Amino acid sequence: MSTAGKVIKCKAAVLWETKKPFSIEDIEVAPPKAHEVRIKMVATGVCRSDDHAISGSITTPLPVILGHEGAGIVESVGEGVTSVKPGDKVIPLFSPQCGKCRICKHPESNFCMKNDLVQPRGTLLDGTSRFTCKGKSIYNFTSTSTFSQYTVVDEIAVAKIDGASPLDKVCLIGCGFSTGYGSAVKVAKVTPGSTCAVFGLGGVGLSVIIGCKTAGAARIIAVDINKDKFAKAKELGATECINPLDYSKPIHEVLQEMTDGGVDFSFEVIGRLDTMMSSLLSSHASCGVSVVVGVPPNSQSLSVNPLLLLLGRTWKGAIFGGFKSKDSVPKLVADFMAKKFPLEPLITHVLPFEKINEAFELLRSGKSIRTVLTF
Ligand code: PAD
Ligand code: ZN
Ligand code: ZN
């Protein structure tokens, strides 16, 4: 019996308060309105940005259904939807692409002005949510809310992908992989023969390494305080791994000494102000490019001596690896299917959706790279 046009009752992980575990709740998901798409989730990754929302390090309205690295199948579509249809395999886009705003029309930029990231309303574009639980409206997260058996997204926040693709792997293209890989190949534009430093070896940082290697970097120096991450970093292309805890001097000085004054490309993929500064200082003062990938804690800032940039160094950052999401996600999935890059090494754990709190414990304890939750 078709569920189109009807309210769907299903399970979702609801975060009622920050710093608390999720509760698996029975929720209602209203049908999609015009230009919206209802998706049956099949798999979702667990990213540190979700944990930032749990800890309150990034602010989003509560109660909320988090999750932004998912893949699923279109259940039904609202009036006027043309880019996807029921049965299509899709990836929700936490950084949407409306195609019409100034940024979508800009050839290089990707951060669509219809995003719900900078000042989150926690709703779809029409200002409301399709989720209710115990008679209360539940907020959306980053246009996606993948920690639910069903979610509703705006058409500008979903991309149709290859019908043959394995959703329990390509879900990582919805955030972690694309963010890291794009930061190297598209944002930094890593060059063949160059030297790179990657701070933070989680799912995103390891994807930066995959990107640096693909771009032909000669040296990729991986930096993490958890040495258990080094084996995987080497497997994916790191040529050296260093632990700041093993040195008495600042790690940027160690990197400068190792690389004749600094690396060509450095990446901060942790989300801390001190490591953002270390990453900046480890890039060469005249020819270095340093990319901020990690999400810094709310309302904290760095004070920077302009001389750090005056000699020619470039400091930049990007969301979602600089990719225009709706255009790029189907291509990235096609590239994965063509074996141009692997995703499997990033997936260390697969758990049923109900074990979501366990998945976050694995992330916090540094035991997992990516856990994929399956529905
Ligand atoms: P993760 O927690 O899996 O990985 C972070 C890594 O950093 C871990 O291996 C830690 O051991 C390591 N680490 C922690 N502190 C330090 C330190 N002081 N020095 C060196 N290493 C340290 O996170 P992730 O890979 O899922 O995400 C990384 C960041 O990227 C995080 O801030 C997340 O919010 C951000 C992100 N940004 C975007 C974007 O669009 N810009 C997208 C997705 C994630
Ligand atoms: Zn993410
Ligand atoms: Zn736009």
Side-chain angles (χ1 to χ4, degrees):
M1 203 179 64
S2 167
T3 45
K6 296 177 187 152
V7 171
I8 293 179
K9 289 185 192 252
C10 68
K11 303 267 184 215
V14 177
L15 185 75
W16 294 99
E17 284 177 69
T18 54
K19 303 187 178 70
K20 289 277 160 63
F22 294 99
S23 312
I24 304 287
E25 305 277 9
D26 291 311
I27 65 156
E28 297 84 36
V29 183
K33 293 189 182 175
H35 306 292
E36 294 174 4
V37 178
R38 190 159 60 182
I39 303 167
K40 183 180 198 305
M41 295 308 305
V42 173
T44 178
V46 165
C47 172
R48 182 62 78 168
S49 302
D50 297 306
D51 196 44
H52 289 328
I54 300 173
S55 70
S57 161
I58 58 177
T59 313
T60 201
L62 298 171
V64 64
I65 297 176
L66 298 177
H68 64 281
E69 192 178 79
I73 296 170
V74 175
E75 174 269 342
S76 63
V77 299
E79 216 184 295
V81 170
T82 55
S83 60
V84 298
K85 59 179 187 315
D88 284 347
K89 284 189 178 174
V90 290
I91 289 182
L93 309 169
F94 75 88
S95 176
Q97 185 185 352
C98 77
K100 295 183 182 145
C101 72
R102 176 178 174 187
I103 301 302
C104 282
K105 287 189 176 151
H106 191 284
E108 287 299 318
S109 197
N110 76 323
F111 193 56
C112 173
M113 290 161 79
K114 299 277 185 190
N115 75 81
D116 195 31
L117 296 168
V118 175
Q119 283 171 323
R121 302 174 310 271
T123 66
L124 298 176
L125 284 177
D126 82 338
T128 63
S129 151
R130 303 290 155 267
F131 302 127
T132 50
C133 177
K134 299 174 181 163
K136 207 172 164 21
S137 181
I138 307 292
Y139 285 104
N140 286 73
F141 179 62
T142 62
S143 319
T144 48
S145 293
T146 61
F147 295 161
S148 175
Q149 287 174 328
Y150 286 84
T151 191
V152 177
V153 301
D154 292 296
E155 188 182 7
I156 64 167
V158 61
K160 178 179 172 174
I161 57 167
D162 183 345
S165 50
L167 298 181
D168 57 349
K169 313 241 165 15
V170 298
C171 58
L172 299 196
I173 290 174
C175 180
F177 174 76
S178 310
T179 298
Y181 185 76
S183 295
V185 302
K186 197 161 167 52
V187 183
K189 299 192 185 357
V190 168
T191 48
S194 61
T195 297
C196 303
V198 182
F199 288 72
L201 306 175
V204 187
L206 292 172
S207 301
V208 173
I209 291 179
I210 297 175
C212 293
K213 188 177 171 192
T214 306
R219 283 178 82 189
I220 304 171
I221 308 170
V223 185
D224 203 297
I225 51 172
N226 179 353
K227 63 177 175 13
D228 296 345
K229 305 274 176 137
F230 292 166
K232 187 71 60 114
K234 286 209 163 139
E235 178 191 329
L236 290 172
T239 53
E240 292 132 278
C241 294
I242 57 174
N243 183 345
L245 303 177
D246 290 343
Y247 299 88
S248 53
K249 60 177 124 181
I251 201 67
H252 69 265
E253 288 180 16
V254 175
L255 280 155
Q256 285 166 357
E257 282 165 18
M258 285 169 75
T259 60
D260 191 19
V263 298
D264 298 301
F265 302 97
S266 72
F267 302 85
E268 200 278 358
V269 207
I270 304 163
R272 296 173 55 97
L273 299 185
D274 59 346
T275 44
M276 285 176 190
M277 189 50 87
S278 302
S279 172
L280 179 67
L281 292 171
S282 69
S283 68
H284 192 280
S286 299
C287 64
V289 175
S290 185
V291 182
V292 173
V293 186
V295 177
N298 244 336
S299 32
Q300 288 189 17
S301 42
L302 278 170
S303 139
V304 175
N305 181 337
L307 271 179
L308 291 181
L309 304 178
L310 201 63
L311 309 187
R313 186 190 258 130
T314 304
W315 198 19
K316 60 201 297 196
I319 294 293
F320 199 55
F323 286 120
K324 287 186 187 289
S325 58
K326 198 154 169 139
D327 292 345
S328 303
V329 161
K331 291 182 194 153
L332 287 164
V333 170
D335 285 350
F336 168 71
M337 297 299 279
K339 298 197 169 21
K340 293 194 182 160
F341 55 78
L343 292 171
E344 293 82 355
L346 302 174
I347 303 170
T348 52
H349 299 74
V350 180
L351 290 174
F353 170 60
E354 289 72 18
K355 295 203 170 166
I356 184 166
N357 287 315
E358 202 175 299
F360 276 88
E361 283 311 319
L362 286 165
L363 177 70
R364 289 175 197 135
S365 64
K367 292 193 181 112
S368 62
I369 300 297
R370 275 302 196 255
T371 298
V372 170
L373 300 169
T374 53
F375 291 84

